[in-house]
Amino acid sequence: MTDTKKIKTIAVLCSGGDSPGMNCAIRSVVRTAIANDLEIYGIQRGYAGLLEGNLKKMDASSVGNILQHGGTILQTSRCPEFHEESIRTEAAHILKRKGIDALVVIGGNGSFNGALALHTEHGTPVMGIPGTIDNDIEGSSYSIGFDTAVQTAIEAVDKIRDTAHSHDRTFIVEVMGRKSPAIALHVGLCTGAENIVFPTKDHNVDIDAIATDIKRGIKRGKGSSIIIAAEGEKVGLSHSIQKELLEKFDIDSRVCILGHIQRGGNPTANDRFLASQMGYTAVKSLVDGKKAIVTAFREGKVIAAPFSECLGKKFDVDPQMVDVVKTLSI
Ligand code: ADP
């Protein structure tokens, strides 16, 4: 693809884990494309679907009545083969054969790495739209789905707090976040959690500190405690905290693993608001001749940021936020 070639036909896919609001972004991409006289194809099931040639032409009505629904009408997948250069060459040939000039990828930083490799090796213009509940994409302070996931977890913890209070109980509530602390931090702050466990490489948890906090609460007449634990990379973290609290400190607790409910559900206003802007910005950037852009959220605005700034995973635990949680949960 030369710099002067005008984009006529584009395709959109979702890749990696799904997140609420992806449908909003798809709708926005499709309708902005149509408004700019572009042909638009939807690729089913991410890079795997691309390799199968699973593309279908979309029109304005293909995306009618979807913006309020979680999941993605295009479905998504993980495609380990896409790490191989020869497979990406195959993908570039498929795009060329189908007459696709550019690709919009909605996903996380793994999906962005795949898209950038395609661009670097074959010149295909690529636009990345941050879509992951983990909100861990470097270079964008927000990714689609995070707000909905946090809202879902908060509603669940509020319910757990009712029963925890009624029975003077300690609960360990496990939220999503294998490597990302974002959901745990926000849910912890918004639910008045007594403690938050962030994911760490060595799976170390400071049980003594958790027990001290619980005991201090009990001393001042507090019956219930909520510990929000990010799932981490090792299965069974919450149950091991539960076991240690009982064995070492005689603190009885219950575990509630929220799991995949955090990935589904109708997107919140915030997710719809940003997904709509990101889809629009992605297509507008292509029309403006941009070649490799991520629609990043920075300082309250959706902007077109260079791909190179959005490839890593961020791990933001703002010490001030942690202090707010600690200060308010005494
Ligand atoms: P996310 O996009 O949510 O971070 P993954 O890390 O699972 O999710 O990546 C989704 C898909 O993106 C992978 O299954 C693979 O097809 C592709 N991908 C990820 N990393 C790379 C990479 N370094 N090079 C090429 N493709 C990649």
Side-chain angles (χ1 to χ4, degrees):
M1 169 109 8
T2 64
D3 279 357
T4 51
K5 183 169 173 194
K6 198 167 170 336
I7 302 277
K8 290 196 190 108
T9 305
I10 67 171
V12 56
L13 60 78
C14 296
S15 169
D18 67 323
S19 65
M22 281 182 162
N23 278 330
C24 256
I26 295 168
R27 170 180 178 267
S28 174
V29 167
V30 169
R31 296 217 166 145
T32 309
I34 291 166
N36 285 275
D37 298 322
L38 302 176
E39 286 204 359
I40 169 83
Y41 284 80
I43 299 175
Q44 210 69 27
R45 294 197 324 104
Y47 294 127
L50 169 58
L51 292 166
E52 291 158 5
N54 197 344
L55 286 76
K56 63 173 183 212
K57 186 138 187 266
M58 301 186 88
D59 58 26
S61 58
S62 333
V63 289
N65 199 26
I66 66 165
L67 99 167
Q68 71 274 37
H69 299 302
T72 153
I73 59 161
L74 292 178
Q75 300 185 282
T76 180
S77 70
R78 296 205 160 81
C79 174
E81 310 89 75
F82 211 72
H83 285 262
E84 294 167 37
E85 193 175 337
S86 60
I87 296 292
R88 292 194 294 270
T89 302
E90 214 176 287
H93 287 155
I94 291 169
L95 288 172
K96 203 167 178 205
R97 268 207 309 277
K98 302 271 184 189
I100 311 282
D101 302 316
L103 186 62
V104 179
V105 172
I106 308 169
N109 71 307
S111 305
F112 288 180
N113 276 284
L116 186 64
L118 192 67
H119 172 70
T120 310
E121 292 155 7
H122 301 282
T124 315
V126 288
M127 299 289 129
I129 298 181
T132 160
I133 63 164
D134 286 331
N135 199 23
D136 60 351
I137 299 174
E138 218 166 54
S140 180
S141 59
Y142 194 77
S143 63
I144 298 166
F146 175 65
D147 192 54
T148 307
V150 167
Q151 187 60 36
T152 300
I154 287 172
E155 284 165 18
V157 177
D158 286 348
K159 289 178 178 135
I160 290 166
R161 182 69 87 172
D162 290 346
T163 175
H165 182 70
S166 303
H167 287 270
D168 281 347
R169 229 168 225 160
T170 295
F171 267 85
I172 303 155
V173 184
E174 191 173 296
V175 297
M176 278 194 159
R178 280 204 200 137
K179 292 183 184 168
S180 169
I183 293 180
L185 180 59
H186 282 245
V187 172
L189 181 54
C190 296
T191 57
E194 277 65 25
N195 244 294
I196 304 176
V197 177
F198 297 117
T200 57
K201 274 209 176 78
D202 49 13
H203 311 292
N204 266 346
V205 176
D206 190 348
I207 296 284
D208 293 20
I210 294 175
T212 305
D213 287 348
I214 295 171
K215 290 198 162 160
R216 192 185 55 233
I218 291 169
K219 221 172 178 181
R220 78 138 177 93
K222 211 182 208 185
S224 67
S225 284
I226 301 274
I227 300 157
I228 302 292
E231 63 184 328
E233 290 185 271
K234 202 170 141 204
V235 179
L237 173 79
S238 297
H239 284 107
S240 74
I241 296 173
Q242 179 187 38
K243 193 163 173 270
E244 277 199 74
L245 282 176
L246 186 63
E247 286 174 1
K248 281 196 190 161
F249 302 97
D250 199 26
I251 295 172
D252 191 23
S253 62
R254 297 287 181 274
V255 169
C256 180
I257 297 172
L258 298 187
H260 283 78
I261 61 161
Q262 293 158 95
R263 290 256 287 263
N266 299 356
T268 58
N270 211 28
D271 277 326
R272 299 180 196 200
F273 193 68
L274 290 171
S276 301
Q277 293 180 63
M278 286 178 170
Y280 172 91
T281 304
V283 176
K284 280 290 192 186
S285 299
L286 279 173
V287 171
D288 290 346
K290 303 259 173 41
K291 303 294 177 201
I293 286 298
V294 169
T295 59
F297 189 63
R298 292 184 191 172
E299 293 166 9
K301 274 195 185 141
V302 174
I303 60 142
F307 238 97
S308 54
E309 294 174 7
C310 307
L311 294 172
K313 265 192 195 302
K314 67 181 178 191
F315 189 97
D316 278 347
V317 181
D318 180 348
Q320 187 172 321
M321 286 297 167
V322 176
D323 196 48
V324 175
V325 174
K326 284 267 136 227
T327 306
L328 303 187
S329 67
I330 48 171

